[in-house]
Amino acid sequence: MRFLLVCTANVCRSPMAEAAMRHALAARGTLPQLGSAGIDALADEPAHPLSIAAVAEAGLGDLSAHRSRQVSPLLVRKADMVLCMEDVQRSAIVARAPDAAGRVRLLGHWRGLEIVDPVGGPAHEYRECLELMIDCIDEWLERLSRQGLLQ
């Protein structure tokens, strides 16, 4: 499966979620096919320093080379599943790519929650956000595996 992880600016939540999902898929022996984007992203912005630190501290990789990009209908079409952080992002994606409505879900879908943006908060909020996203990713991967959609 090909995943696209989406937040607002693609400098905080979605890059952290991409790193966490890449790590989780690799640990399952699955070749990660994923990317991230933002509904209001400025092109080529680096990941937020506290996002970089949270991912490194968790042992999930290095976000220092990450550069933001805007979500596009093409990116959405290429993805088998688009996981976003908030309902507003889901609505924006479906408005841009209505044919993808059935493939766009909240990352926190199974918990009935949105992933709150830690931007502007202290470092511990970035770590807590990452931990929550890791749990949500594990739930998605487990459910997709049980359905035979993921190795």
mmCIF file of all heavy atoms in Angstrom, residues 56-78:
data_model
loop_
_atom_site.group_PDB
_atom_site.id
_atom_site.type_symbol
_atom_site.label_atom_id
_atom_site.label_comp_id
_atom_site.label_asym_id
_atom_site.label_seq_id
_atom_site.Cartn_x
_atom_site.Cartn_y
_atom_site.Cartn_z
ATOM 1 N N ALA A 56 14.098 12.157 16.323
ATOM 2 C CA ALA A 56 15.437 11.642 16.629
ATOM 3 C C ALA A 56 15.470 10.994 18.005
ATOM 4 O O ALA A 56 16.017 9.905 18.180
ATOM 5 C CB ALA A 56 16.467 12.773 16.537
ATOM 6 N N GLU A 57 14.858 11.665 18.979
ATOM 7 C CA GLU A 57 14.835 11.157 20.348
ATOM 8 C C GLU A 57 14.115 9.807 20.431
ATOM 9 O O GLU A 57 14.490 8.945 21.222
ATOM 10 C CB GLU A 57 14.120 12.180 21.233
ATOM 11 C CG GLU A 57 14.163 11.900 22.701
ATOM 12 C CD GLU A 57 13.493 13.021 23.481
ATOM 13 O OE1 GLU A 57 13.979 14.172 23.393
ATOM 14 O OE2 GLU A 57 12.489 12.747 24.148
ATOM 15 N N ALA A 58 13.094 9.622 19.589
ATOM 16 C CA ALA A 58 12.336 8.367 19.576
ATOM 17 C C ALA A 58 13.032 7.269 18.769
ATOM 18 O O ALA A 58 12.569 6.142 18.724
ATOM 19 C CB ALA A 58 10.937 8.608 19.020
ATOM 20 N N GLY A 59 14.150 7.623 18.117
ATOM 21 C CA GLY A 59 14.884 6.642 17.318
ATOM 22 C C GLY A 59 14.190 6.283 16.019
ATOM 23 O O GLY A 59 14.355 5.177 15.500
ATOM 24 N N LEU A 60 13.436 7.243 15.463
ATOM 25 C CA LEU A 60 12.660 6.981 14.252
ATOM 26 C C LEU A 60 13.266 7.568 12.988
ATOM 27 O O LEU A 60 12.652 7.505 11.930
ATOM 28 C CB LEU A 60 11.230 7.520 14.420
ATOM 29 C CG LEU A 60 10.431 6.927 15.580
ATOM 30 C CD1 LEU A 60 9.084 7.608 15.683
ATOM 31 C CD2 LEU A 60 10.287 5.425 15.410
ATOM 32 N N GLY A 61 14.453 8.123 13.098
ATOM 33 C CA GLY A 61 15.100 8.658 11.900
ATOM 34 C C GLY A 61 15.502 10.106 12.058
ATOM 35 O O GLY A 61 15.510 10.660 13.158
ATOM 36 N N ASP A 62 15.812 10.698 10.919
ATOM 37 C CA ASP A 62 16.336 12.060 10.862
ATOM 38 C C ASP A 62 15.471 12.889 9.910
ATOM 39 O O ASP A 62 15.434 12.605 8.709
ATOM 40 C CB ASP A 62 17.785 12.023 10.378
ATOM 41 C CG ASP A 62 18.422 13.387 10.278
ATOM 42 O OD1 ASP A 62 17.799 14.394 10.688
ATOM 43 O OD2 ASP A 62 19.557 13.464 9.767
ATOM 44 N N LEU A 63 14.789 13.878 10.436
ATOM 45 C CA LEU A 63 13.936 14.734 9.608
ATOM 46 C C LEU A 63 14.663 15.972 9.085
ATOM 47 O O LEU A 63 14.037 16.812 8.449
ATOM 48 C CB LEU A 63 12.713 15.210 10.402
ATOM 49 C CG LEU A 63 11.632 14.195 10.730
ATOM 50 C CD1 LEU A 63 10.480 14.881 11.459
ATOM 51 C CD2 LEU A 63 11.130 13.515 9.480
ATOM 52 N N SER A 64 15.949 16.084 9.312
ATOM 53 C CA SER A 64 16.640 17.323 8.936
ATOM 54 C C SER A 64 16.631 17.576 7.427
ATOM 55 O O SER A 64 16.735 18.724 7.002
ATOM 56 C CB SER A 64 18.071 17.327 9.466
ATOM 57 O OG SER A 64 18.816 16.270 8.902
ATOM 58 N N ALA A 65 16.478 16.551 6.608
ATOM 59 C CA ALA A 65 16.440 16.736 5.150
ATOM 60 C C ALA A 65 15.016 16.944 4.633
ATOM 61 O O ALA A 65 14.821 17.234 3.451
ATOM 62 C CB ALA A 65 17.074 15.538 4.449
ATOM 63 N N HIS A 66 14.022 16.823 5.508
ATOM 64 C CA HIS A 66 12.621 16.973 5.072
ATOM 65 C C HIS A 66 12.370 18.370 4.526
ATOM 66 O O HIS A 66 12.843 19.369 5.087
ATOM 67 C CB HIS A 66 11.669 16.708 6.242
ATOM 68 C CG HIS A 66 10.247 17.042 5.899
ATOM 69 N ND1 HIS A 66 9.440 16.177 5.205
ATOM 70 C CD2 HIS A 66 9.500 18.156 6.129
ATOM 71 C CE1 HIS A 66 8.251 16.735 5.025
ATOM 72 N NE2 HIS A 66 8.266 17.940 5.590
ATOM 73 N N ARG A 67 11.597 18.439 3.439
ATOM 74 C CA ARG A 67 11.144 19.711 2.889
ATOM 75 C C ARG A 67 9.651 19.597 2.601
ATOM 76 O O ARG A 67 9.191 18.599 2.049
ATOM 77 C CB ARG A 67 11.898 20.083 1.600
ATOM 78 C CG ARG A 67 13.386 20.380 1.835
ATOM 79 C CD ARG A 67 13.565 21.585 2.754
ATOM 80 N NE ARG A 67 14.946 21.871 3.087
ATOM 81 C CZ ARG A 67 15.555 21.515 4.224
ATOM 82 N NH1 ARG A 67 14.912 20.828 5.140
ATOM 83 N NH2 ARG A 67 16.796 21.855 4.454
ATOM 84 N N SER A 68 8.924 20.605 2.991
ATOM 85 C CA SER A 68 7.467 20.586 2.876
ATOM 86 C C SER A 68 7.012 20.651 1.423
ATOM 87 O O SER A 68 7.719 21.138 0.542
ATOM 88 C CB SER A 68 6.880 21.763 3.653
ATOM 89 O OG SER A 68 7.334 22.985 3.099
ATOM 90 N N ARG A 69 5.777 20.148 1.227
ATOM 91 C CA ARG A 69 5.147 20.253 -0.084
ATOM 92 C C ARG A 69 3.638 20.328 0.105
ATOM 93 O O ARG A 69 3.085 19.854 1.090
ATOM 94 C CB ARG A 69 5.527 19.087 -0.988
ATOM 95 C CG ARG A 69 5.076 17.738 -0.501
ATOM 96 C CD ARG A 69 5.513 16.639 -1.445
ATOM 97 N NE ARG A 69 5.172 15.343 -0.881
ATOM 98 C CZ ARG A 69 5.249 14.219 -1.539
ATOM 99 N NH1 ARG A 69 5.654 14.220 -2.805
ATOM 100 N NH2 ARG A 69 4.927 13.084 -0.978
ATOM 101 N N GLN A 70 3.011 20.933 -0.875
ATOM 102 C CA GLN A 70 1.561 21.109 -0.893
ATOM 103 C C GLN A 70 0.904 19.823 -1.375
ATOM 104 O O GLN A 70 1.385 19.183 -2.303
ATOM 105 C CB GLN A 70 1.232 22.254 -1.854
ATOM 106 C CG GLN A 70 -0.228 22.558 -2.017
ATOM 107 C CD GLN A 70 -0.726 23.560 -1.001
ATOM 108 O OE1 GLN A 70 0.036 24.292 -0.411
ATOM 109 N NE2 GLN A 70 -2.016 23.587 -0.805
ATOM 110 N N VAL A 71 -0.197 19.445 -0.721
ATOM 111 C CA VAL A 71 -0.953 18.291 -1.197
ATOM 112 C C VAL A 71 -1.572 18.658 -2.552
ATOM 113 O O VAL A 71 -1.943 19.801 -2.777
ATOM 114 C CB VAL A 71 -2.030 17.859 -0.174
ATOM 115 C CG1 VAL A 71 -3.182 18.824 -0.099
ATOM 116 C CG2 VAL A 71 -2.517 16.471 -0.464
ATOM 117 N N SER A 72 -1.602 17.708 -3.446
ATOM 118 C CA SER A 72 -2.161 17.944 -4.778
ATOM 119 C C SER A 72 -3.057 16.773 -5.160
ATOM 120 O O SER A 72 -2.922 15.674 -4.604
ATOM 121 C CB SER A 72 -1.029 18.069 -5.807
ATOM 122 O OG SER A 72 -0.397 16.810 -5.982
ATOM 123 N N PRO A 73 -3.943 16.971 -6.111
ATOM 124 C CA PRO A 73 -4.760 15.842 -6.569
ATOM 125 C C PRO A 73 -3.913 14.667 -7.060
ATOM 126 O O PRO A 73 -4.271 13.512 -6.836
ATOM 127 C CB PRO A 73 -5.594 16.443 -7.697
ATOM 128 C CG PRO A 73 -5.721 17.893 -7.327
ATOM 129 C CD PRO A 73 -4.377 18.235 -6.714
ATOM 130 N N LEU A 74 -2.775 14.948 -7.676
ATOM 131 C CA LEU A 74 -1.897 13.875 -8.149
ATOM 132 C C LEU A 74 -1.350 13.057 -6.981
ATOM 133 O O LEU A 74 -1.358 11.825 -7.017
ATOM 134 C CB LEU A 74 -0.744 14.440 -8.979
ATOM 135 C CG LEU A 74 0.267 13.404 -9.486
ATOM 136 C CD1 LEU A 74 -0.409 12.379 -10.394
ATOM 137 C CD2 LEU A 74 1.409 14.098 -10.207
ATOM 138 N N LEU A 75 -0.871 13.722 -5.935
ATOM 139 C CA LEU A 75 -0.375 13.003 -4.759
ATOM 140 C C LEU A 75 -1.480 12.144 -4.153
ATOM 141 O O LEU A 75 -1.245 11.009 -3.747
ATOM 142 C CB LEU A 75 0.143 13.977 -3.697
ATOM 143 C CG LEU A 75 1.503 14.615 -3.919
ATOM 144 C CD1 LEU A 75 1.790 15.639 -2.824
ATOM 145 C CD2 LEU A 75 2.587 13.571 -3.967
ATOM 146 N N VAL A 76 -2.675 12.682 -4.081
ATOM 147 C CA VAL A 76 -3.804 11.950 -3.512
ATOM 148 C C VAL A 76 -4.139 10.740 -4.388
ATOM 149 O O VAL A 76 -4.362 9.642 -3.885
ATOM 150 C CB VAL A 76 -5.025 12.877 -3.321
ATOM 151 C CG1 VAL A 76 -6.258 12.099 -2.909
ATOM 152 C CG2 VAL A 76 -4.703 13.961 -2.291
ATOM 153 N N ARG A 77 -4.165 10.932 -5.713
ATOM 154 C CA ARG A 77 -4.469 9.816 -6.622
ATOM 155 C C ARG A 77 -3.452 8.699 -6.510
ATOM 156 O O ARG A 77 -3.796 7.528 -6.631
ATOM 157 C CB ARG A 77 -4.527 10.306 -8.069
ATOM 158 C CG ARG A 77 -5.882 10.809 -8.494
ATOM 159 C CD ARG A 77 -6.003 10.937 -9.997
ATOM 160 N NE ARG A 77 -5.016 11.799 -10.611
ATOM 161 C CZ ARG A 77 -5.113 13.118 -10.698
ATOM 162 N NH1 ARG A 77 -6.174 13.738 -10.199
ATOM 163 N NH2 ARG A 77 -4.179 13.833 -11.282
ATOM 164 N N LYS A 78 -2.187 9.032 -6.276
ATOM 165 C CA LYS A 78 -1.126 8.023 -6.181
ATOM 166 C C LYS A 78 -1.199 7.203 -4.893
ATOM 167 O O LYS A 78 -0.602 6.142 -4.808
ATOM 168 C CB LYS A 78 0.253 8.688 -6.263
ATOM 169 C CG LYS A 78 0.626 9.173 -7.629
ATOM 170 C CD LYS A 78 2.007 9.803 -7.550
ATOM 171 C CE LYS A 78 2.639 9.967 -8.886
ATOM 172 N NZ LYS A 78 4.001 10.535 -8.761
#
